[in-house]
Every structure is written in C-alpha cells, then in structure tokens.
Amino acid sequence: MSDLPRKAVTRTAKLAALPLGIAGRATWGLGKRIGGKSAELVARELQQRTAEQLFKVLGELKGGAMKLGQALSVFESALPEEVGGPYRAALTKLQEAAPPMPTRTVHAVLAERLGERWRELFLEFEDKPAAAASIGQVHRAVWHDGREVAVKVQYPGAGEALLSDLAQLSRFARLLGPLVPGMDVKPLITELRDRVSEELDYALEAEAQRKHAEEFADDPHVVVPDVVHQADQVLVTEWMDGIPLSEIVADGTEEQRDRAGQLLARFLFSGPARTGLLHADPHPGNFRLLPGPAEDGPEGWRLGVLDFGTVDRLPGGLPATIGTCLRMTLAGEAETVYELLRAEGFVKESVVLDPDAVLEYLLPIIEPAEVEAFVFTRAWLRTQAARIADPRSPAHQLGKQLNLPPAYLLIHRVTLSTIGVLCQLNATVRLRDELTEWLPGFAPEPGTGTADEQAAAEERD
C-alpha cells in the first residue's frame, strides 16, 4: 500500500548512485583541470552538478532522503551565488512539494485510522493533496462542523523509509560536506535519525501544536492553527491560508521580507520562553505570511506556523548560558565567556584554548546581535561559512577543537537554519530587540553587568 518509492531495493539503489555519481564527477573534474581549467572553476562546476543531482534524488524519494534535503536546503545561502543560484528553484520545490501518494492509498489510511465511515466526519474532502512532504501529505477539507481543515495523512511505511534512507545517507555523509560549507553533515543525519519516532508520532505533534495554539491564540504577530482531531497516522488541524515563505524568498517585496524575517526571529526566541518548546523544523515550507487589514500596513502582517512534528522540549526556555555568553562576548569579556563555555562542555577539560582567540572566533558570527538592525544577506553567510570551512583559517582550526554538547545540538541546528532562512529572505531584522525580550541571560539584571551595559540599558529605558 505504500507509495514511498517503492521497494527498499529501489530506494537503496537510487541513494547508492549518489556517491558513485560524485566520484564520477570528481574524475571528470580532474580531466578538466588537466585540460587547463582552473581548480577553482572546476570545483564550482563540480559542486553545482553534485548539488543538482543530490536535491533531485532526495526530492523524488521523500522519506528520510527528502527530510535531509529540506534540512540542507536552508543552507543554500552559504553557497557561492554561481552555484546556489541555478538550483535555488529546485530547493524551493523540495520545501513545498513531493510526488503525491495515490488516492486509493489515502482513502485506505483514512478508513483504517478513522473508521470505514470516515467520510461522515467531513462535509467536503479534496482527494488532490494541497501539499506533499517528507513523511505525509495534506488534504484540504471541511470538518463536519463547517470548519475548513487540513488533513495530514502519513505515508504507509514512512518510518521504515526514514530509517533506511538516513542509515544509507550517513555512510557517505562526508561526500556531502562540500555542499554546505562550514557544516558537518553526519551529526545532522544522526540527529534526524534519533528523532524519527517523534516525527512519526502524530499524538506528540498534536500535543505540541495544541500548546502553541493555546499560547499564541490572541497574539498579534504569530498564528498557530489549532488541532481539530488526531488519530494514528492522521492529524486534522484548522486550515490556514497565507503566502508561503518560499514565495516571499523567491518574489517578496522588501517590506514582506523584512516583516517575515522579524517575525521569524521573534518566534524562534519567544516560542521556547512561552511554551517550553522549540519548533525544530524551520524551513520556509512550514511558514506563511498572513496579510492583515490594508490600513495597518506591514505591521499588521502575521506569521503563520505549521508542522510541529519535531520540537525540542525546553521546560525553562532556552538555556540562560546562551544569552549570557552572547552578552559577555559583545562586552569583550573573553575570560568569562571562556569559563562559561568550559563549564557547559563546549570546551572539553582536555582542551586548552586562548580565551581571546575564542572571542575572536565568536564575534563575527554574533554580529547581528551587536547592532540595532542587521541586514541578513547571502554574502554575509557565505563569508562566515568560508571563514569556518577553510582549513587554512585560524577560525577553522579553533572550531575543530570546540565541542557541541548533546543538549545544545538541536538548538544549534535550529538557530543556524533560521539564520539561513533570514539570509534567503535578505531581511533587515532588529535581532537585538528579540534577544533582549526573550533570551534568558542576554539582558543584564538591573544593577548588574558591565558599566557600558548599564549605561546602554539606562539609555534604552
């Protein structure tokens, strides 16, 4: 009954072809260099061809393959424009759609999970899916009480495909590294694999979505559709219109980009503070920009948030150490930052680093928090990625000696992904405002902090 293409042997063959294709293109690249082309030009051509094949295969297969593709897609901003540009459209497609499963399969799942008389639950049900993603697809319908709803139906065999794909992909993760400069792909695959059970559990997703919907019910900036009904492999939520963030990335106005970016940053930091949960799948396909009344202008636009299948549970909100380290780094307190990082496990006991070198490593990355308003651009992200990825760079050498504690793994990935989306939007964002309001430890307590911080706080007040 599964439509996850198709048999395990077929999926394995498609994924196994990826490293062979990469190896073949490497040989092709060597031939080009022998033929007189510069190494840099050949490397870029090779990167582009590899990326095109990778995202094509990952999108076709859905399951864990597409899940990895979506996670990687937000980092296309870090690629050189001549490489990222040609396949940006393919990434947008990967975020929004995948081949749908047959209608008969959808009906069979609904009959099994909602009962043979499932149609009586709906006044209308559209057989053609409104969206299809990595482990399920969404149908538009009208619930029996007249509410417009989104019906998410999980692909039969999704769990098996997720685990199989991610196990296969992890075997040649190092070959994918050049596609995402400055990022190690293998831990990302491991993390996705560790969270498969949560991703497939619609009861957990419904619980997380209800909590967000309740907390943001009257929020003027963020909209979360409420859960209407949940069963194994089926989740029914309120329908939400709006402009997909992927369309804003592709064709949005400057006002739309800036507003979407500000709201995305606000949701990233306010969500954990208000719900104790971190929405952990921040690719553009999961967000909508909802226009408000014309007279309100851009300030009336709101951010719609979808898909709570992956969340990080943070009962106390984001760790205060993050905010304190950010604040102390901006204040130039090298020794304090170093001791905080060591205490949290970012610097292992067996490693000794120069605190000033650690500060120098961190400052360019946190530049957006230093100024009143920051323009997130692909060029800025490419600069940061290149600085960390270049083996000759001091930043690369120091970064290799740092450690990412397990408790921070998902927070780190979500933050990087959100920054990737902000750079795709080319948005001007007052990030410091959001950090001050929502990130524990970033704003010094009254009467504490350095003299400069206290003076700045008084000025803001």
Side-chain angles (χ1 to χ4, degrees), residues 378-433:
R378 287 183 164 94
W380 173 78
L381 190 60
R382 284 197 293 269
T383 300
Q384 299 307 318
R387 184 176 71 96
I388 295 169
D390 185 353
R392 298 164 298 181
S393 162
H396 176 82
Q397 298 300 325
L398 190 143
K400 287 196 324 185
Q401 298 179 78
L402 293 175
N403 176 57
L404 186 60
Y408 287 87
L409 181 61
L410 195 52
I411 296 170
H412 178 69
R413 200 251 297 172
V414 171
T415 304
L416 285 181
S417 299
T418 304
I419 289 171
V421 177
L422 294 177
C423 291
Q424 288 178 328
L425 286 165
N426 195 41
T428 300
V429 177
R430 298 173 65 91
L431 184 66
R432 191 180 182 95
D433 288 353

Side-chain angles (χ1 to χ4, degrees), residues 204-251:
L204 284 176
E205 180 172 349
E207 179 188 342
Q209 185 157 342
R210 281 193 185 102
K211 193 162 188 177
H212 278 85
E214 181 181 338
E215 176 60 38
F216 288 94
D218 300 313
D219 193 273
H221 307 295
V222 175
V223 180
V224 178
D226 207 353
V227 175
V228 175
H229 184 79
Q230 181 268 320
D232 192 21
Q233 291 188 302
V234 178
L235 179 61
V236 183
T237 63
E238 293 172 336
W239 181 265
M240 185 168 63
D241 286 310
I243 309 169
L245 210 60
S246 54
E247 291 183 19
I248 304 294
V249 167
D251 301 307

Side-chain angles (χ1 to χ4, degrees), residues 297-310:
E299 290 304 309
W301 296 343
R302 297 183 295 170
L303 183 73
V305 185
L306 304 170
D307 198 339
F308 292 81
T310 306

Side-chain angles (χ1 to χ4, degrees), residues 168-337:
Q168 179 92 352
L169 286 163
S170 68
R171 285 197 280 271
F172 56 88
R174 63 182 180 79
L175 296 174
L176 307 180
L179 294 176
V180 192
M183 181 178 181
D184 189 350
V185 176
K186 191 157 189 174
L188 171 61
I189 296 173
T190 301
E191 183 227 305
L192 291 174
R193 191 175 61 216
D194 290 345
R195 291 184 173 270
V196 165
S197 59
E198 290 183 31
E199 183 86 10
L200 296 167
D201 190 334
Y202 280 1
L204 284 176
E205 180 172 349
E207 179 188 342
Q209 185 157 342
R210 281 193 185 102
K211 193 162 188 177
H212 278 85
E214 181 181 338
E215 176 60 38
F216 288 94
D218 300 313
D219 193 273
H221 307 295
V222 175
V223 180
V224 178
D226 207 353
V227 175
V228 175
H229 184 79
Q230 181 268 320
D232 192 21
Q233 291 188 302
V234 178
L235 179 61
V236 183
T237 63
E238 293 172 336
W239 181 265
M240 185 168 63
D241 286 310
I243 309 169
L245 210 60
S246 54
E247 291 183 19
I248 304 294
V249 167
D251 301 307
T253 65
E254 184 178 344
E255 286 182 328
Q256 288 174 326
R257 292 169 181 273
D258 290 348
R259 180 62 175 168
Q262 190 71 44
L263 294 177
L264 191 60
R266 183 167 303 163
F267 179 69
L268 168 66
F269 292 105
S270 69
R274 296 172 63 174
T275 67
L277 299 170
L278 174 68
H279 182 288
D281 198 4
H283 71 78
N286 287 337
F287 298 96
R288 303 284 184 268
L289 190 62
L290 310 177
E295 60 270 18
D296 290 348
E299 290 304 309
W301 296 343
R302 297 183 295 170
L303 183 73
V305 185
L306 304 170
D307 198 339
F308 292 81
T310 306
V311 297
D312 199 4
R313 286 162 178 80
L314 303 168
L318 290 165
T321 299
I322 296 175
T324 306
C325 274
L326 270 174
R327 175 165 56 87
M328 290 300 177
T329 301
L330 293 173
E333 300 285 345
E335 293 288 347
T336 304
V337 171

